[in-house]
Each structure stands twice: as C-alpha cells, then as structure tokens.
C-alpha cells in the first residue's frame, strides 16, 4: 500500500485512454502473439538472412519473417489499430498521426503512390496519413530510442489539453545492415546471440523488427468509444520526459534523467512509488545502460525499486530503436489485461550493480493497478509512460 489516506476514487481520473492497438515483431503478427512470447520468455532471435552478416561479430536479430516494405507495414498497423478502436472513416478524418520512424527507406523503395505523396507532401508521415484516411496534423519523431514514447507523450498531452479528441501514434523499424554495422562497430551487439538485461555476463543488445500503432482518446469520450463497440484497453495515467545530456551515447551513471522522467509521470497522475506494480524497463543489456537505469529507478522509486517486479521485454523481441517505446507500451498494456507479467529472458546471475526484483523463469501472476514503461536514448533523453489498468 502507498500509505496515503485518499482513495483511488479521490484522485483525478486519467485524461487519456487507449482504445486501439496493433503490433508485429519477430513473435508474429498481433498483440496476442507478442504477449505470448513475452510471457513465455521465448526469444525471437535467429540467424539473419535479410543481408549477409558474415563480417560482423554476431549474425542474429529478431526479425519478422514475412516483413514487407516499411510503409506497407506501417499502413497495415495503423489500419488494424483503427479497426480495433472501431473508428469509422468520419472519425479518422480529423485525427492527427504522430509517427516514430527515423530510419525510413529511401523513397525509391516506396510504392508509386506513396512515393509521389512523399515527394509532394513532405514525407512518409503525410503519405501514411493520406493512405489511411487520417486527415489531421502529422508529425515525425526522430529522437532515437525514445521516438515512439515521446510521440505517445505528445499525443496524450494534445488530448489532455483539449487540442485533440483522439490521436493515432505509429512506429516502425525494420533491421537494416547500416544499423547492424553501426552497433557492431560500437561493440554493442551480444556475441552470444542472447539479450540478458540486468544479468551478470550480459554481452549487449540485439536488434529487432517492430511495427506498432495505438489509438489514444479522451477519457471524456469513453462512452462514445463504448458506443462504437470499442474496448478501453488501459488508461494512460501519466507521462514524463527529461534529459541529462551527460554524454553523446552513455547515460548518466546515476540515471538522473530517467529518475526525473519517472517522477514527472507519477506526479502527473498523483501516484506514489508504492502504487507501481510492474516496470517494463528499457533494459538494453549493455554494460553501461543497465546499471544507470537501475540507479535511476532507485532514485525515483526509493525503497520500492528493490521490490517492484521488473523485466525488459527486449530480451524477447530485441531492440527496435525508434519503435521500441510503442511496442513495449503495447506489451505492458496487454500484460495488465492478462494479469501476468513478462519474463526477463536470458538471465544468468544477479549483477550487484543492478539490484532489482527481476521476473525470472515464468510469468508472474499479478494484477497491479499501475505499471511503468520506461525508455532511454543517446544524448541523454529519457521517457516514462504510466499505464493504469482499465
């Protein structure tokens, strides 16, 4: 218990709800496939065939076997999330699209209609909006590994402030040789072919495909969503963003930026650390990031950081860079709905630098009211999304 005297009913209700979701990754297509792999701790890493990895230290990644062009995958994800939210064409028409997809393929790889739209109207986001019937504002986010979570926070802020009734957030990343070579040259890829967040003996990250979309709506319109036959999957109770600018690629060793982002998310929702029942950690399994993240969580959550169940689902679906935050939000929402919390796969032994309550071996049966999904990025960018069970 939090030790506070007020009841949940006394707190301000979240302004934002999630009414539509879609996801595709190495686990397969659909949010159910993603959750099943995360709960089982079943990694999707396999030998790469998309390009020849022979020159690199490792040759595996978590890829969607039948992935099409990124534009097509994103359009499909947006359509699926809108269908899940039961959004008719009329409600899509004025809806903003916030897109996290920095590593967009060259326009020559787009279909002819998408290429013409991209050339004439300002990029893939506008082409996707036109293609999927979203006629509102478009934005593209290129803030590396917090791109998608930043887009979610912006979408939630737009709704909470009354600037939009609903927003579609989409994110996509398909593993490319350029990125693979970049992380390999930085010696960040796990040579043993496994991602082992917060574990002794971890060797680094592995890349993974991810395409996802969510529909965010005003909680004041919940009855309208129900009238359409849409479910409220979860409430987005809070969000926070902070930077520490400690180093171009290394996080602050004390996790100061992450701690401020988490504190901002809790403050926005009037929630205390003891109310948090699960953390889907950034957990990249690199030597620098994991201890810094652990330090940041201890700073933000205090003594509760050693008790709250934690896992990083990157251990299953890999690091999807710009799309990570959205895929991890989807699996966090799904876990709350299922009453089971995902396994932190690949764990070998505790690391004294990461004193956390990591979920091991099998999913944890629990029904927390609140969960955090946190992400960090190069340059000291940090985000925290606070999810409340519906």
């Amino acid at each position: 218990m939090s030790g506070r005297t007020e009841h949940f009913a006394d707190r301000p209700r979240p302004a934002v709800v999630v009414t539509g979701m879609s996801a595709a990754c190495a686990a397969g297509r659909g949010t159910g496939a993603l959750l099943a792999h995360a709960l089982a701790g079943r990694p999707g890493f396999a030998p790469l065939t998309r390009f020849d990895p022979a020159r690199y230290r490792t040759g595996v990644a978590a890829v969607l076997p039948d992935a099409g062009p990124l534009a097509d995958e994103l359009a499909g994800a947006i359509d699926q999330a809108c269908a899940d939210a039961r959004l008719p064409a009329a409600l899509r028409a004025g809806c903003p699209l916030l897109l996290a997809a920095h590593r967009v393929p060259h326009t020559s790889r787009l279909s002819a209609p998408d290429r013409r739209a991209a050339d004439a109207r300002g990029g893939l986001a506008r082409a996707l909006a036109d293609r999927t019937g979203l006629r509102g504002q478009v934005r593209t986010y290129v803030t590396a590994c917090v791109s998608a979570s930043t887009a979610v926070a912006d979408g939630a802020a737009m709704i909470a402030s009354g600037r939009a009734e609903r927003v579609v957030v989409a994110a996509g990343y398909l593993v490319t040789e350029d990125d693979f070579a970049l992380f390999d040259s930085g010696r960040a890829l796990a040579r043993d072919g496994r991602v082992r967040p917060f574990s002794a003996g971890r060797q680094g990250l592995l890349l993974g495909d991810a395409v996802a979309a969510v529909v965010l709506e005003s909680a004041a319109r919940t009855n309208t969503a129900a009238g359409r036959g849409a479910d409220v999957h979860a409430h987005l109770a809070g969000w926070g963003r902070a930077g520490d600018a400690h180093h171009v690629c290394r996080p602050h060793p004390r996790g100061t930026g992450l701690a401020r982002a988490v504190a901002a998310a809790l403050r926005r929702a009037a929630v205390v650390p003891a109310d948090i029942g699960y953390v889907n950690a950034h957990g990249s399994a690199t030597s620098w990031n994991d201890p810094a993240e652990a330090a940041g969580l201890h700073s933000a959550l205090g003594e509760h950081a050693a008790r709250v169940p934690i896992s990083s689902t990157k251990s299953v679906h890999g690091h999807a860079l710009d799309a990570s935050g959205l895929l991890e939000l989807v699996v966090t929402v799904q876990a709350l709905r299922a009453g089971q919390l995902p396994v932190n796969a690949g764990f070998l032994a505790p690391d004294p630098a990461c004193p956390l309550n990591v979920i091991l071996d099998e999913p944890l049966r629990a029904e927390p009211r609140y969960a955090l999904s946190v992400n960090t990025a190069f340059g000291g960018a940090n985000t925290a999304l606070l999810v409340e069970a519906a």
Side-chain angles (χ1 to χ4, degrees):
M1 299 297 291
S2 68
R4 297 180 69 171
T5 57
E6 78 272 31
H7 299 289
F8 282 110
D10 297 325
R11 296 178 178 174
R13 294 300 302 159
V16 182
V17 294
V18 181
T19 57
M21 299 190 300
S22 67
C25 63
R29 296 184 181 278
T31 58
L34 170 62
L35 179 64
H37 277 246
L39 293 180
R42 187 162 62 248
F45 306 111
L48 274 164
T49 58
R50 188 171 291 168
F51 52 84
D52 182 3
R55 73 185 73 177
Y56 306 117
R57 293 178 182 83
T58 185
V60 303
V63 299
L64 181 64
D66 60 345
L70 183 58
D72 293 345
E73 293 289 348
L74 283 164
I78 292 168
D79 282 336
Q80 290 165 20
C82 289
D84 185 39
R86 304 293 195 271
L87 282 184
L91 292 183
R92 289 196 195 192
C95 189
L97 172 63
L98 309 186
L99 175 67
H102 177 53
R103 291 162 182 83
V104 175
H106 189 273
T107 54
S108 64
R109 298 174 60 185
L110 300 178
S111 65
D114 286 338
R115 184 167 64 251
R116 288 193 295 271
D119 291 341
R121 301 285 299 281
L124 181 62
R126 174 52 64 191
L128 286 170
D130 290 346
R131 183 171 171 178
T132 57
L134 304 174
R135 307 299 184 190
Q137 178 184 7
V138 298
R139 294 182 185 173
T140 300
Y141 290 77
V142 293
T143 46
C145 307
V146 298
S147 296
S149 46
T150 299
V152 170
D154 273 1
M158 291 169 69
I159 293 168
S161 65
R163 288 177 288 146
E165 290 186 7
R166 63 187 57 82
V167 173
V168 174
V169 181
Y173 172 71
L174 301 179
V175 176
T176 68
E177 187 170 7
D178 286 349
D179 291 320
F180 201 88
L182 176 67
F183 283 94
D184 180 76
S185 67
R187 299 181 182 273
L189 298 180
R191 297 183 308 279
D192 64 354
R194 292 294 301 274
V195 178
R196 308 180 189 278
F198 308 113
S199 173
R202 64 188 180 276
Q203 295 188 9
L205 61 87
L206 290 170
L207 298 177
D209 289 350
V211 181
V214 299
V215 178
L216 306 177
E217 299 195 55
S218 169
R221 299 286 182 174
T222 299
N223 290 338
T224 303
R228 302 193 310 262
D231 291 332
V232 171
H233 298 306
H235 300 267
L236 190 60
W239 50 93
R241 291 169 285 188
D244 53 54
H246 171 71
H247 187 273
V248 67
C249 58
R250 292 179 183 174
H252 193 290
R254 294 194 299 276
T256 56
L258 179 63
R260 291 200 302 272
V262 170
L266 300 187
R267 186 168 57 249
R268 189 181 300 275
V271 166
V272 297
D275 294 328
I276 306 304
Y278 171 60
V279 177
N280 192 349
H282 181 72
S284 63
T286 57
S287 59
W288 291 95
N289 282 65
D290 287 9
E293 183 172 4
L297 290 173
H298 274 268
S299 178
L301 302 180
E303 295 180 354
H304 188 57
R307 298 189 296 267
V308 62
I310 288 176
S311 62
S312 168
T313 55
K314 286 185 180 70
S315 61
V316 171
H317 54 66
H319 197 331
L321 304 184
D322 306 86
S324 288
L326 198 59
L327 193 70
E328 291 159 22
L329 174 63
V330 169
V331 75
T332 301
V333 170
Q334 288 290 87
L336 291 185
R337 288 170 63 84
Q340 297 185 77
L341 307 181
V343 170
N344 192 88
F347 197 85
L348 297 173
D351 179 352
C354 304
L356 300 170
N357 181 22
V358 180
I359 302 171
L360 302 177
D361 301 324
E362 60 184 21
L364 178 65
R365 293 188 178 277
E367 295 184 354
R369 186 166 189 130
Y370 291 100
L372 277 169
S373 183
V374 298
N375 290 99
T376 66
F378 287 165
N382 304 270
T383 59
L385 302 177
L386 179 63
V387 180
E388 182 183 3

